[in-house]
PDB file of all heavy atoms in Angstrom:
ATOM      1  N   ARG A  66     101.531  88.347  96.488  1.00  0.00           N
ATOM      2  CA  ARG A  66     102.862  87.936  96.104  1.00  0.00           C
ATOM      3  C   ARG A  66     102.969  86.479  95.708  1.00  0.00           C
ATOM      4  O   ARG A  66     103.531  86.116  94.706  1.00  0.00           O
ATOM      5  CB  ARG A  66     103.811  88.149  97.298  1.00  0.00           C
ATOM      6  CG  ARG A  66     104.017  89.587  97.764  1.00  0.00           C
ATOM      7  CD  ARG A  66     104.855  89.622  99.078  1.00  0.00           C
ATOM      8  NE  ARG A  66     104.288  88.783 100.084  1.00  0.00           N
ATOM      9  CZ  ARG A  66     104.852  88.408 101.158  1.00  0.00           C
ATOM     10  NH1 ARG A  66     106.101  88.715 101.372  1.00  0.00           N
ATOM     11  NH2 ARG A  66     104.249  87.660 102.070  1.00  0.00           N
ATOM     12  N   THR A  67     102.435  85.612  96.517  1.00  0.00           N
ATOM     13  CA  THR A  67     102.518  84.153  96.227  1.00  0.00           C
ATOM     14  C   THR A  67     101.803  83.804  94.938  1.00  0.00           C
ATOM     15  O   THR A  67     102.291  83.038  94.065  1.00  0.00           O
ATOM     16  CB  THR A  67     101.912  83.360  97.339  1.00  0.00           C
ATOM     17  OG1 THR A  67     102.632  83.678  98.648  1.00  0.00           O
ATOM     18  CG2 THR A  67     102.054  81.861  97.122  1.00  0.00           C
ATOM     19  N   LEU A  70     103.862  84.993  92.017  1.00  0.00           N
ATOM     20  CA  LEU A  70     105.032  84.100  91.864  1.00  0.00           C
ATOM     21  C   LEU A  70     104.621  82.782  91.089  1.00  0.00           C
ATOM     22  O   LEU A  70     105.271  82.376  90.177  1.00  0.00           O
ATOM     23  CB  LEU A  70     105.609  83.788  93.252  1.00  0.00           C
ATOM     24  CG  LEU A  70     106.843  82.909  93.283  1.00  0.00           C
ATOM     25  CD1 LEU A  70     108.105  83.703  92.832  1.00  0.00           C
ATOM     26  CD2 LEU A  70     107.068  82.268  94.565  1.00  0.00           C
ATOM     27  N   ALA A 102     110.807  76.279  94.715  1.00  0.00           N
ATOM     28  CA  ALA A 102     111.514  75.924  95.954  1.00  0.00           C
ATOM     29  C   ALA A 102     110.468  75.805  97.064  1.00  0.00           C
ATOM     30  O   ALA A 102     110.420  74.763  97.788  1.00  0.00           O
ATOM     31  CB  ALA A 102     112.567  76.909  96.340  1.00  0.00           C
ATOM     32  N   ARG A 103     109.598  76.777  97.161  1.00  0.00           N
ATOM     33  CA  ARG A 103     108.412  76.753  98.071  1.00  0.00           C
ATOM     34  C   ARG A 103     107.491  77.851  97.694  1.00  0.00           C
ATOM     35  O   ARG A 103     107.825  78.885  97.168  1.00  0.00           O
ATOM     36  CB  ARG A 103     108.864  76.827  99.546  1.00  0.00           C
ATOM     37  CG  ARG A 103     109.255  78.201 100.038  1.00  0.00           C
ATOM     38  CD  ARG A 103     109.618  78.152 101.532  1.00  0.00           C
ATOM     39  NE  ARG A 103     109.821  79.505 102.059  1.00  0.00           N
ATOM     40  CZ  ARG A 103     110.350  79.666 103.195  1.00  0.00           C
ATOM     41  NH1 ARG A 103     110.737  78.674 103.974  1.00  0.00           N
ATOM     42  NH2 ARG A 103     110.571  80.921 103.691  1.00  0.00           N
ATOM     43  N   ALA A 104     106.229  77.597  97.944  1.00  0.00           N
ATOM     44  CA  ALA A 104     105.147  78.581  97.732  1.00  0.00           C
ATOM     45  C   ALA A 104     104.119  78.277  98.832  1.00  0.00           C
ATOM     46  O   ALA A 104     103.340  77.325  98.665  1.00  0.00           O
ATOM     47  CB  ALA A 104     104.564  78.406  96.335  1.00  0.00           C
ATOM     48  N   ARG A 105     104.109  79.029  99.876  1.00  0.00           N
ATOM     49  CA  ARG A 105     103.219  78.699 101.007  1.00  0.00           C
ATOM     50  C   ARG A 105     101.803  79.187 100.758  1.00  0.00           C
ATOM     51  O   ARG A 105     101.618  80.218 100.159  1.00  0.00           O
ATOM     52  CB  ARG A 105     103.790  79.385 102.239  1.00  0.00           C
ATOM     53  CG  ARG A 105     105.107  78.754 102.672  1.00  0.00           C
ATOM     54  CD  ARG A 105     105.751  79.503 103.828  1.00  0.00           C
ATOM     55  NE  ARG A 105     106.746  78.713 104.529  1.00  0.00           N
ATOM     56  CZ  ARG A 105     107.510  79.194 105.465  1.00  0.00           C
ATOM     57  NH1 ARG A 105     107.406  80.455 105.816  1.00  0.00           N
ATOM     58  NH2 ARG A 105     108.342  78.410 106.040  1.00  0.00           N
ATOM     59  N   PRO A 106     100.734  78.399 101.261  1.00  0.00           N
ATOM     60  CA  PRO A 106     100.962  77.171 102.055  1.00  0.00           C
ATOM     61  C   PRO A 106     100.925  75.913 101.219  1.00  0.00           C
ATOM     62  O   PRO A 106     101.077  74.802 101.774  1.00  0.00           O
ATOM     63  CB  PRO A 106      99.717  77.223 102.959  1.00  0.00           C
ATOM     64  CG  PRO A 106      98.675  77.771 102.041  1.00  0.00           C
ATOM     65  CD  PRO A 106      99.361  78.849 101.211  1.00  0.00           C
ATOM     66  N   LEU A 162     114.802  77.057 104.517  1.00  0.00           N
ATOM     67  CA  LEU A 162     114.672  77.842 103.290  1.00  0.00           C
ATOM     68  C   LEU A 162     115.789  77.416 102.249  1.00  0.00           C
ATOM     69  O   LEU A 162     115.409  77.117 101.136  1.00  0.00           O
ATOM     70  CB  LEU A 162     114.807  79.320 103.595  1.00  0.00           C
ATOM     71  CG  LEU A 162     114.900  80.199 102.366  1.00  0.00           C
ATOM     72  CD1 LEU A 162     113.572  80.298 101.648  1.00  0.00           C
ATOM     73  CD2 LEU A 162     115.426  81.572 102.734  1.00  0.00           C
ATOM     74  N   LEU A 178     111.932  79.657  91.885  1.00  0.00           N
ATOM     75  CA  LEU A 178     110.949  80.511  92.509  1.00  0.00           C
ATOM     76  C   LEU A 178     110.833  80.166  93.952  1.00  0.00           C
ATOM     77  O   LEU A 178     110.604  79.044  94.315  1.00  0.00           O
ATOM     78  CB  LEU A 178     109.582  80.357  91.805  1.00  0.00           C
ATOM     79  CG  LEU A 178     109.593  80.353  90.278  1.00  0.00           C
ATOM     80  CD1 LEU A 178     108.179  80.071  89.747  1.00  0.00           C
ATOM     81  CD2 LEU A 178     110.176  81.647  89.717  1.00  0.00           C
ATOM     82  N   VAL A 179     110.981  81.151  94.787  1.00  0.00           N
ATOM     83  CA  VAL A 179     110.923  80.908  96.264  1.00  0.00           C
ATOM     84  C   VAL A 179     110.132  81.973  96.969  1.00  0.00           C
ATOM     85  O   VAL A 179     110.347  83.153  96.810  1.00  0.00           O
ATOM     86  CB  VAL A 179     112.404  80.827  96.822  1.00  0.00           C
ATOM     87  CG1 VAL A 179     113.189  82.065  96.549  1.00  0.00           C
ATOM     88  CG2 VAL A 179     112.354  80.578  98.342  1.00  0.00           C
ATOM     89  N   ASP A 180     109.174  81.534  97.776  1.00  0.00           N
ATOM     90  CA  ASP A 180     108.202  82.349  98.502  1.00  0.00           C
ATOM     91  C   ASP A 180     108.696  82.667  99.900  1.00  0.00           C
ATOM     92  O   ASP A 180     109.353  81.855 100.589  1.00  0.00           O
ATOM     93  CB  ASP A 180     106.883  81.633  98.519  1.00  0.00           C
ATOM     94  CG  ASP A 180     105.695  82.513  98.868  1.00  0.00           C
ATOM     95  OD1 ASP A 180     105.760  83.721  98.638  1.00  0.00           O
ATOM     96  OD2 ASP A 180     104.666  82.023  99.243  1.00  0.00           O
ATOM     97  N   ASP A 181     108.297  83.909 100.391  1.00  0.00           N
ATOM     98  CA  ASP A 181     108.417  84.201 101.803  1.00  0.00           C
ATOM     99  C   ASP A 181     109.852  84.044 102.363  1.00  0.00           C
ATOM    100  O   ASP A 181     110.056  83.427 103.366  1.00  0.00           O
ATOM    101  CB  ASP A 181     107.500  83.321 102.668  1.00  0.00           C
ATOM    102  CG  ASP A 181     106.066  83.763 102.547  1.00  0.00           C
ATOM    103  OD1 ASP A 181     105.784  84.887 102.111  1.00  0.00           O
ATOM    104  OD2 ASP A 181     105.165  82.974 102.919  1.00  0.00           O
ATOM    105  N   VAL A 182     110.726  84.679 101.660  1.00  0.00           N
ATOM    106  CA  VAL A 182     112.170  84.589 102.107  1.00  0.00           C
ATOM    107  C   VAL A 182     112.363  85.045 103.522  1.00  0.00           C
ATOM    108  O   VAL A 182     113.133  84.488 104.279  1.00  0.00           O
ATOM    109  CB  VAL A 182     113.120  85.304 101.114  1.00  0.00           C
ATOM    110  CG1 VAL A 182     114.511  85.393 101.667  1.00  0.00           C
ATOM    111  CG2 VAL A 182     113.117  84.603  99.734  1.00  0.00           C
ATOM    112  N   ASP A 183     111.685  86.199 103.859  1.00  0.00           N
ATOM    113  CA  ASP A 183     111.950  86.732 105.208  1.00  0.00           C
ATOM    114  C   ASP A 183     110.921  86.334 106.226  1.00  0.00           C
ATOM    115  O   ASP A 183     110.781  87.013 107.286  1.00  0.00           O
ATOM    116  CB  ASP A 183     112.022  88.260 105.115  1.00  0.00           C
ATOM    117  CG  ASP A 183     110.803  88.987 104.413  1.00  0.00           C
ATOM    118  OD1 ASP A 183     109.913  88.212 104.056  1.00  0.00           O
ATOM    119  OD2 ASP A 183     110.879  90.185 104.315  1.00  0.00           O
ATOM    120  N   VAL A 209     113.612  84.270  91.344  1.00  0.00           N
ATOM    121  CA  VAL A 209     112.462  85.177  91.642  1.00  0.00           C
ATOM    122  C   VAL A 209     111.911  84.790  93.010  1.00  0.00           C
ATOM    123  O   VAL A 209     111.648  83.657  93.260  1.00  0.00           O
ATOM    124  CB  VAL A 209     111.356  85.041  90.629  1.00  0.00           C
ATOM    125  CG1 VAL A 209     110.255  86.047  90.937  1.00  0.00           C
ATOM    126  CG2 VAL A 209     111.846  85.255  89.185  1.00  0.00           C
ATOM    127  N   ALA A 210     111.922  85.768  93.899  1.00  0.00           N
ATOM    128  CA  ALA A 210     111.594  85.535  95.351  1.00  0.00           C
ATOM    129  C   ALA A 210     110.529  86.523  95.802  1.00  0.00           C
ATOM    130  O   ALA A 210     110.358  87.585  95.140  1.00  0.00           O
ATOM    131  CB  ALA A 210     112.813  85.644  96.173  1.00  0.00           C
ATOM    132  N   THR A 211     109.825  86.200  96.861  1.00  0.00           N
ATOM    133  CA  THR A 211     108.889  87.110  97.452  1.00  0.00           C
ATOM    134  C   THR A 211     109.345  87.414  98.881  1.00  0.00           C
ATOM    135  O   THR A 211     109.960  86.599  99.548  1.00  0.00           O
ATOM    136  CB  THR A 211     107.438  86.604  97.545  1.00  0.00           C
ATOM    137  OG1 THR A 211     107.285  85.629  98.531  1.00  0.00           O
ATOM    138  CG2 THR A 211     107.026  85.970  96.190  1.00  0.00           C
ATOM    139  N   ALA A 212     109.012  88.630  99.385  1.00  0.00           N
ATOM    140  CA  ALA A 212     109.416  89.094 100.666  1.00  0.00           C
ATOM    141  C   ALA A 212     108.565  90.286 101.100  1.00  0.00           C
ATOM    142  O   ALA A 212     107.909  90.894 100.220  1.00  0.00           O
ATOM    143  CB  ALA A 212     110.893  89.413 100.763  1.00  0.00           C
TER     144      ALA A 212
END
Side-chain angles (χ1 to χ4, degrees):
R66 295 174 307 165
T67 302
L70 183 74
R103 76 179 184 192
R105 292 173 163 174
L162 171 73
L178 314 178
V179 55
D180 197 22
D181 286 343
V182 171
D183 54 2
V209 182
T211 76

